[in-house]
Amino acid sequence: MGGAVSAGEDNDELIDNLKEAQYIRTDLVEQAFRAIDRADYYLEEFRDSAYKDLAWRHGNIHLSAPCIYSEVMEALDLQPGLSFLNLGSGTGYLSSMVGLILGPFGVNHGVELHSDVIEYAYQKLEFFIKTSHSFDRFEFCEPSFVAGNCLEIAPESRQYDRVYCGAGVQKEHEDYMKNLLKVGGILVLPLEEKLTKITRTGYNSWDTKKIIAVSFAPLVLPKNNQNGKARAVPLPPMCEVRSLQDLSRITIRHILKKGLTGMWPPPRHAGSRAGSRHKRRREHRDSTSLLTNRYVFMTRLIPGPMDDNNNQSGSDDEDNEDDEEDDCRGVCEGVPEDEEAAEEEEEEEEGGRREGSILLMETQVNPLREKILSLPLPEPLKMYLLHYREK
C-alpha cells in the first residue's frame, strides 16, 4: 500500500512530498516526521528504498507506507500528556514519532505479536536515544513494548486516550477495539478496507469517519493454550511512579533547553514545491552564507560596549557593519539565473569556505549536549543527564 507521492532523495524531501500532497497538514506532525529518519528503521541492505512511499516487509519486520503513517498521525490528534496504545507496534517507528509529541509525562505502550520484532524495535529505540539530535530537541515519551496478541488484552484492562491498530480489523472485533478507549479518546484502525477514525463521544456513543482506502493484512486470531483458555496480555503500568532521579533529570534538561531557545539549527522547511536537487543545493548554500555572515557580524558586535538601547556605541565601524549586513542580505537574496551558474557558484563558495579563517561546521551542533558537558558536574552525573549516550 502506498505510492501516493513521489520518492524523495532523503527524509526531508520525502516529508516535503507528503506535505505537498496534503498527507501532512499540521506543524506538530511535520516536526515529528522530520525528527526521525525513516531509513534508520530499515535493515541496512534495504535503506535505498526507505524514501519511497511504499510499505516494506522483511520477514516479520514491517513498515507501512509513509502516506499511511501521515494520515494516522494526523487523525490521532496527539497532545502532550496523553496515553497511547499501538496494537501491532512493529519496529517502533510510529511509536517513537508519537513519543516526541506526548512528552515525558505521557504514556506510550505497544503490543507486538512477534518477540523478534520487539527486540528489533528496542534496538532502534536505543539507537535513536543514543545518536539522534532530535532526542534532545524534544521532550520524549519512551515507548514500552510487550509481546502478545492484541486481541487477548483483558476486557477489564485500562483504557487509553489514543489507540492505533496496524492490522486489518474484522468487523466482529470493532467493539473490542472501541472498549480500549476512554471517553473522548480516538481510535484509528483499518476497518473494512478503509482507514477509519472513531471518536468515543460518550459511554455508549461514537463518531465514525472514513479517511482513505487501505489494504492491510488482517489481525491474527488468538489461539487457545493447552487448557483451553485464552492468554492474557499484560500491559505495562499506566501510572508508573517516576523515581526522584528521573524527575530531576527531566526537570534539569527542560530548564537547560529553555535557556537554549534559538540556538538549535532551524529545521528545514519546503517552499511551494519540493524542488530539484539543484534548488536544494542553492537553499543549502544560501543558508550557509547567511549563517557565516551572521557569525562574523555578531562576533564584531559582541565585544564592544552597548548603550541603553542595546546599540553599539563609540565605535568607528558602524558604517562598515551596515555595509556587511547589506552584503549578507544581498548574498542571501541573490538567485543564480540558471542551474549551471548555481553549481559553479557553489563550487567557488565551497573552496572559499575551506580557505577562509571561519569555517562552518558540517556536522550539526547539539546545544543541549554541549551545555551539559560544559557544566561543572561529576562525569557520571553528566552521563546521566545525557541518558548515558556517551557509553
Side-chain angles (χ1 to χ4, degrees), residues 136-354:
D136 288 328
R137 284 178 178 269
F138 292 80
E139 304 283 352
F140 187 55
C141 181
E142 188 171 332
S144 297
F145 307 112
V146 296
N149 190 305
C150 65
L151 292 174
E152 294 180 317
I153 298 173
E156 67 277 6
S157 183
R158 64 190 70 92
Q159 296 173 321
Y160 291 78
D161 297 302
R162 301 291 186 268
V163 178
Y164 170 66
C165 182
V169 177
Q170 299 87 344
K171 188 65 177 177
E172 59 266 28
H173 298 302
E174 180 181 356
D175 288 341
Y176 171 90
M177 295 291 175
K178 288 178 176 179
N179 287 327
L180 295 171
L181 275 185
K182 295 179 180 179
V183 173
I186 295 173
L187 166 66
V188 179
L189 75 169
L191 184 66
E192 297 181 319
E193 302 298 313
K194 295 285 178 60
L195 189 65
T196 305
K197 176 180 179 178
I198 300 176
T199 303
R200 188 167 194 172
T201 56
Y203 187 76
N204 287 313
S205 59
W206 316 84
D207 180 67
T208 301
K209 177 184 176 182
K210 303 293 184 181
I211 303 174
I212 57 173
V214 293
S215 177
F216 277 69
L219 281 172
V220 175
L221 299 180
K223 299 177 181 178
N224 293 333
N225 56 24
Q226 292 181 353
N227 58 15
K229 296 182 180 180
R231 304 174 183 85
V233 175
L235 293 175
M238 179 69 81
C239 299
E240 185 176 2
V241 178
R242 295 292 191 104
S243 68
L244 179 60
Q245 290 92 333
D246 280 347
L247 292 173
S248 299
R249 174 165 59 187
I250 290 169
T251 303
I252 292 170
R253 285 170 63 90
H254 178 72
I255 292 172
L256 290 175
K257 271 190 275 194
K258 285 181 65 177
L260 295 171
T261 302
M263 295 185 64
W264 293 95
R268 198 183 70 77
H269 291 282
S272 58
R273 171 85 179 144
S276 65
R277 185 185 313 167
H278 298 296
K279 179 177 179 180
R280 293 165 67 82
R281 287 177 178 175
R282 285 200 299 273
E283 290 173 352
H284 174 71
R285 182 189 62 255
D286 291 345
S287 62
T288 300
S289 301
L290 176 63
L291 290 171
T292 304
N293 281 282
R294 280 185 177 169
Y295 178 78
V296 175
F297 185 63
M298 290 304 296
T299 53
R300 295 187 182 183
L301 276 177
I302 290 173
M306 311 295 280
D307 63 21
D308 292 337
N309 295 318
N310 290 329
N311 295 319
Q312 188 83 8
S313 61
S315 172
D316 296 332
D317 295 332
E318 289 180 351
D319 294 337
N320 292 335
E321 290 161 359
D322 292 339
D323 292 341
E324 287 177 6
E325 189 172 9
D326 291 339
D327 291 342
C328 174
R329 190 180 298 112
V331 169
C332 297
E333 293 177 356
V335 179
E337 294 181 358
D338 53 41
E339 295 178 355
E340 184 176 352
E343 289 200 5
E344 291 177 359
E345 187 176 335
E346 182 180 8
E347 292 176 1
E348 291 175 2
E349 290 186 3
E350 195 68 41
R353 283 199 298 272
R354 284 194 294 266

